Amino acid sequence: MQILIAPDKFKGSLTASQAARAIADGLHQAHPDWKLDCAPLADGGDGTLDAIESALGGTRHTCTVTGPLGSPVQASYLILPDGHTAVIETAQACGLSLFPAAQRDPLRATTYGVGQLLGYAVDHGCTRALVGLGGSATNDGGLGFLAALGARLTDAYGRDISSFDPQSLLKLAHIDLSPALARLAHTTLEILCDVQNPLCGPQGATAVFGPQKGVTPAQLPLLDHALFQWGQLLEYATGRAVCCRPGAGAAGGLGAALLSLGGIWHSGVSYLMHLVHWKDRIACADIVLTGEGRLDASSLFGKAPYAVMQSADAHGIPCYAFCGAVQPSLPPVTGLSQAYCIAPHLPESIRISQAASLLQMCVHRWALQFPLES
């Protein structure tokens, strides 16, 4: 029996690589003779750096950047073995996971640290950057990101904007991207993301993703209008239509800023599957196992486990998911044979703190029963 193990991260608990190891340990304990193939995945959000490093190797560089609320944070970027490709994970510099939920403040959160990370990679000699979008605490449209790369941002009186958060978007009157473009003149930007939302409007960054970042109903119209004005300025400055482009609303509108710089869009999970030679590996598999922190309706919109399920279905291979939580009312999912919560009777706090051992035990129990189930 050959098992392809392809989980996403368990957010707040396990990287995709750690989850894959826990699943493999559970399988090996039950069936030492089974052949196991680990292919941890990501979709461009949290865990993308780990997944690409697991697939390709490379060298991590850790530096101090401005965190989402202005305090310094330690963030990493990866330089691939080719020596000129950098992998930037947005969540490393401005992720929701960098501070407690009670401290979320979408009016202050900035992407400045992401621009610093990219700048460090360029200064290191990288001429290609893969930028993974997802998991951000921000709603600044990439204002901070562009400022960190040198863009000049001024108000109606020609004065430089001194803070780089959503509140400053309403003060802006002019954008000069030439310093940022000059800094990236020899760098190709590629975006890894599966979010298709536009910059603003009912399906935009603020309306859809703002509430999880702390945006209140009262703040929503103001922040959405701020992104609308920001998008108009970006389009005027670049001559590129970015506001309505699919993905412009990713990472609180950072997608729009990257598109305005000429970023090339890729499906995050498809790109990761390509990197790990997915087609060759699933062709050899008898069963596929996947998983993530929570399997729910949002999983069906571009997330890695759903892509795994679709691929398994296309190859006529059963696919099982092991997750920290499973939405009780989850509708039938094509390609999913069964989904399991790793410890349904334990509190969520325990499932998070002991995710590796609980995942391992759940998979072990399943593997012992699998011949009976089949």
Side-chain angles (χ1 to χ4, degrees):
M1 185 79 71
Q2 178 137 337
I3 314 294
L4 178 56
I5 302 168
D8 197 348
K9 65 189 175 301
F10 280 54
K11 195 168 186 176
S13 304
L14 303 170
T15 66
S17 298
Q18 290 169 336
R21 284 196 293 272
I23 292 171
D25 288 344
L27 293 174
H28 183 72
Q29 290 172 2
H31 296 285
D33 57 322
W34 283 7
K35 296 179 180 178
L36 310 180
D37 180 15
C38 292
L41 293 174
D43 56 17
D46 315 51
T48 296
L49 205 70
D50 291 322
I52 293 180
E53 183 178 28
S54 177
L56 300 179
T59 304
R60 279 199 184 221
H61 296 263
T62 301
C63 47
T64 302
V65 300
T66 300
L69 297 181
S71 299
V73 298
Q74 294 294 299
S76 299
Y77 63 94
L78 180 71
I79 296 184
L80 297 185
D82 63 15
H84 64 80
T85 300
V87 182
I88 310 292
E89 182 184 300
T90 295
Q92 286 273 326
C94 68
L96 281 168
S97 60
L98 294 176
F99 53 89
Q103 295 179 17
R104 292 175 185 174
D105 188 350
L107 293 178
R108 290 175 49 217
T110 178
T111 53
Y112 197 89
V114 185
Q116 289 176 303
L117 271 184
L118 178 57
Y120 288 140
V122 170
D123 291 344
H124 202 277
C126 292
T127 56
R128 180 180 178 230
L130 305 176
V131 184
L133 300 186
S136 83
T138 55
N139 203 87
D140 73 346
L143 171 70
F145 169 78
L146 291 177
L149 290 170
R152 189 172 180 222
L153 307 153
T154 54
D155 64 17
Y157 300 98
R159 298 174 300 200
D160 291 338
I161 297 296
S162 57
S163 61
F164 309 109
D165 53 40
Q167 297 177 92
S168 295
L169 292 175
L170 293 169
K171 304 173 187 175
L172 275 177
H174 181 70
I175 306 171
D176 179 6
L177 288 180
S178 55
L181 291 169
R183 190 168 188 191
L184 300 175
H186 304 293
T187 305
T188 300
L189 292 179
E190 300 185 49
I191 307 163
L192 305 182
C193 185
D194 287 288
V195 168
Q196 294 295 305
N197 303 70
L199 180 60
C200 45
Q203 297 301 315
T206 309
V208 176
F209 304 110
Q212 72 188 43
K213 303 176 185 188
V215 174
T216 66
Q219 293 169 339
L220 198 154
L222 178 70
L223 289 174
D224 188 58
H225 180 66
L227 286 186
F228 173 77
Q229 289 192 187
W230 170 243
Q232 297 300 303
L233 288 172
L234 284 177
E235 293 189 351
Y236 181 78
T238 64
R240 292 189 172 99
V242 297
C243 292
C244 295
R245 286 273 301 275
L254 177 56
L258 284 159
L259 289 168
S260 73
L261 295 176
I264 302 165
W265 198 271
H266 300 289
S267 159
V269 66
S270 296
Y271 197 91
L272 264 293
M273 284 179 152
H274 170 72
L275 290 183
V276 302
H277 305 289
W278 178 263
K279 290 182 179 179
D280 296 334
R281 295 165 81 166
I282 196 170
C284 300
D286 298 305
I287 302 170
V288 180
L289 302 188
T290 188
E292 62 177 328
R294 176 177 173 80
L295 182 67
D296 57 25
S298 70
S299 303
L300 312 184
F301 295 93
K303 291 193 177 180
Y306 184 56
V308 170
M309 296 168 198
Q310 289 184 305
S311 179
D313 182 63
H315 286 81
I317 300 170
C319 178
Y320 298 86
F322 297 86
C323 306
V326 178
Q327 179 182 314
S329 58
L330 188 72
V333 180
T334 301
L336 177 62
S337 299
Q338 185 69 46
Y340 299 91
C341 176
I342 58 175
H345 304 298
L346 291 178
E348 183 180 6
S349 59
I350 296 178
R351 293 201 303 269
I352 291 173
S353 64
Q354 301 179 27
S357 59
L358 292 172
L359 176 58
Q360 179 179 332
M361 288 189 289
C362 182
V363 172
H364 179 253
R365 289 193 299 270
W366 170 83
L368 289 175
Q369 293 296 315
F370 180 77
L372 299 178
E373 290 185 355
S374 60

